[in-house]
């Protein structure tokens, strides 16, 4: 089946589920999104681009930004050093769980794609880039998606900061356990993290990320925008940890490395050269786009993308 027909069929299938799930209303600005939006972009192994629906609508990356945060950490520190502070184990608890942190080995976050892990990753970046931490994350995001105007939404950033009680609790627990440095200002650290989560992307941006990872770090122009080694690490952690405590079921149904965000987006990749970005703001109980997962499930079947 050609990619356009596959995308059209997956979109049609996903739209049958627009009555399922709910928007992330615990961040007030996200609650304002039109819940009926559905968009998708598929990039083929030869970088042919096919989009459908609300593919160019911009939404906040939220946890998808953790890909860029972790990439910056991997490019700044040795992996063995990073693993002293952030594990690579799948999570059995929600992405913002305090209990998960309390039960984890040596109290380090279990992986970089839960909130505690991303906060520690941002802390590691702050030790190196200081007040330029967010600018570093944004710069790498722009380079990977090949869009120089990619930026964050101030309104979403403020809304997220004003409602981030659980993230502040996690940060102070990390300070208490000595996982992040007590010399760092908590608000400065969280401001860099919240700005990263508020980066505005569309499904073309997400599909571009997926395509770069699928091509071992190379973009459509043949440029090596991130290393082969780091592309492999990111694909692996996305496969095991990218959809939070739904990762096992996602692996069974979709079978592709992916990273979701509560803004409604999901980026998916593989080793076949495809990059996929889907979006719909209503989420399942795990924080993944309900319609987005359905579209990916259908695309995986139609194009034989299941890696397992």
């Amino acid at each position: 089946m050609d990619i356009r027909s596959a995308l059209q069929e997956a979109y049609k299938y996903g739209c049958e589920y627009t009555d399922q799930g709910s928007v992330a209303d615990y961040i007030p600005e996200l609650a304002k999104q039109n819940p009926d939006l559905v968009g998708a972009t598929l990039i083929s192994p030869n970088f042919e681009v096919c989009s459908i629906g609300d593919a160019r609508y911009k939404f906040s990356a939220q946890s998808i930004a953790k890909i860029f945060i972790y990439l910056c950490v991997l490019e700044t520190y040795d992996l063995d050093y990073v693993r002293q502070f952030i594990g690579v184990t799948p999570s059995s608890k929600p992405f913002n769980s305090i209990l998960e942190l309390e039960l984890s080995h040596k109290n380090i976050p279990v992986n970089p794609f839960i909130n505690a892990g991303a906060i520690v990753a941002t802390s590691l970046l702050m030790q190196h880039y200081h007040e330029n931490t967010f600018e570093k994350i944004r710069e790498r995001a722009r380079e990977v998606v090949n869009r120089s105007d990619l930026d964050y939404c101030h309104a979403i950033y403020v809304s997220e900061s004003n409602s981030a009680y659980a993230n502040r609790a996690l940060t102070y627990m990390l300070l208490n356990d000595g996982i992040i440095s007590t010399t760092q200002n908590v608000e400065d650290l969280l401001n860099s993290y919240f700005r990263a989560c508020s980066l505005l992307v569309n499904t073309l941006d997400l599909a571009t990320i997926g395509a770069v990872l699928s091509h071992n770090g190379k973009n459509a122009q043949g440029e090596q925008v991130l290393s082969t080694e780091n592309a492999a690490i990111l694909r692996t952690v996305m496969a095991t940890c990218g959809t939070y405590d739904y990762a096992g079921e996602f692996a069974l149904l979709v079978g592709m490395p992916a990273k979701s965000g509560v803004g409604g987006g999901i980026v998916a990749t593989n080793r076949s050269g495809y990059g996929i970005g889907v979006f719909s703001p209503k989420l399942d109980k795990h924080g993944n786009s309900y319609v987005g997962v359905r579209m990916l499930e259908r695309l995986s079947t139609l194009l034989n993308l299941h890696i397992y």
Side-chain angles (χ1 to χ4, degrees), residues 24 103 184 190 225:
L103 297 177
Q184 290 185 345
L190 289 175
V225 293

Side-chain angles (χ1 to χ4, degrees), residues 64-102:
I64 294 172
K66 293 169 183 174
I67 294 173
F68 301 121
I69 295 172
Y70 194 48
L71 172 62
C72 289
V73 170
L74 293 172
E75 293 176 337
T76 305
Y77 299 98
D78 180 83
L79 178 60
D80 288 338
Y81 178 78
V82 175
R83 290 179 63 191
Q84 295 178 38
F85 301 91
I86 311 167
V88 289
T89 304
S91 172
S92 61
K93 303 289 188 298
F95 58 87
N96 58 355
S97 173
I98 292 176
L99 181 62
E100 178 84 88
L101 184 60
E102 290 182 316

Side-chain angles (χ1 to χ4, degrees), residues 18 20-21 99 106 112 124 127 149 177 181 192 196 204 206 254-255 271 275 283 299:
T18 52
Q20 301 293 313
L99 181 62
K106 297 181 181 178
L124 289 172
Q127 292 179 32
D149 64 341
D177 294 335
S181 173
S192 293
L204 175 60
L206 301 190
V254 179
R271 292 300 305 277
L283 311 175
L299 281 171

Side-chain angles (χ1 to χ4, degrees), residues 58-286:
K58 291 182 180 179
F59 52 92
S60 61
Q62 295 299 319
S63 285
I64 294 172
K66 293 169 183 174
I67 294 173
F68 301 121
I69 295 172
Y70 194 48
L71 172 62
C72 289
V73 170
L74 293 172
E75 293 176 337
T76 305
Y77 299 98
D78 180 83
L79 178 60
D80 288 338
Y81 178 78
V82 175
R83 290 179 63 191
Q84 295 178 38
F85 301 91
I86 311 167
V88 289
T89 304
S91 172
S92 61
K93 303 289 188 298
F95 58 87
N96 58 355
S97 173
I98 292 176
L99 181 62
E100 178 84 88
L101 184 60
E102 290 182 316
L103 297 177
S104 63
H105 177 59
K106 297 181 181 178
N107 287 347
I108 67 171
V110 293
N111 68 66
F113 290 161
I114 58 171
N115 289 10
I119 290 168
V120 173
T122 306
S123 172
L124 289 172
L125 293 177
M126 287 200 72
Q127 292 179 32
H128 192 85
Y129 299 103
H130 309 293
E131 70 274 9
N132 297 317
T133 294
F134 169 69
E135 284 71 21
K136 175 62 178 179
I137 298 166
R138 179 176 58 187
E139 175 191 11
R140 288 305 280 131
R142 288 174 171 177
E143 290 167 350
V144 173
V145 304
N146 194 27
R147 185 159 67 83
S148 61
D149 64 341
L150 187 150
D151 213 340
Y152 77 104
C153 173
H154 183 75
I156 295 176
Y157 153 67
V158 171
S159 181
E160 189 158 356
S161 179
N162 289 342
S163 57
Y165 306 114
N167 282 327
R168 285 185 172 84
L170 287 169
T171 305
Y172 281 108
M173 284 185 63
L174 292 164
L175 276 168
N176 182 67
D177 294 335
I179 306 302
I180 61 177
S181 173
T182 56
T183 63
Q184 290 185 345
N185 182 282
V186 167
E187 291 305 309
D188 289 344
L189 166 60
L190 289 175
N191 283 341
S192 293
Y193 173 59
F194 296 148
R195 284 189 174 96
C197 291
S198 300
L199 287 168
L200 291 178
V201 294
N202 57 35
T203 62
L204 175 60
D205 296 326
L206 301 190
T208 300
I209 298 167
V212 167
L213 293 175
S214 185
H215 286 84
N216 290 319
K218 288 187 177 181
N219 63 17
Q221 292 73 43
E223 301 166 331
Q224 194 80 45
V225 293
L226 60 106
S227 72
T228 298
E229 293 77 12
N230 285 338
I233 292 170
L234 289 170
R235 285 194 308 267
T236 303
V237 181
M238 287 167 69
T240 56
C241 309
T243 49
Y244 313 119
D245 51 331
Y246 187 67
E249 292 174 85
F250 188 88
L252 182 66
L253 296 173
V254 179
M256 285 188 282
K259 184 71 198 85
S260 62
V262 297
I266 307 176
V267 52
T269 186
N270 48 50
R271 292 300 305 277
S272 303
Y274 288 90
I276 308 172
V278 296
F279 164 71
S280 190
K282 285 186 176 180
L283 311 175
D284 62 23
K285 64 181 181 180
H286 305 281

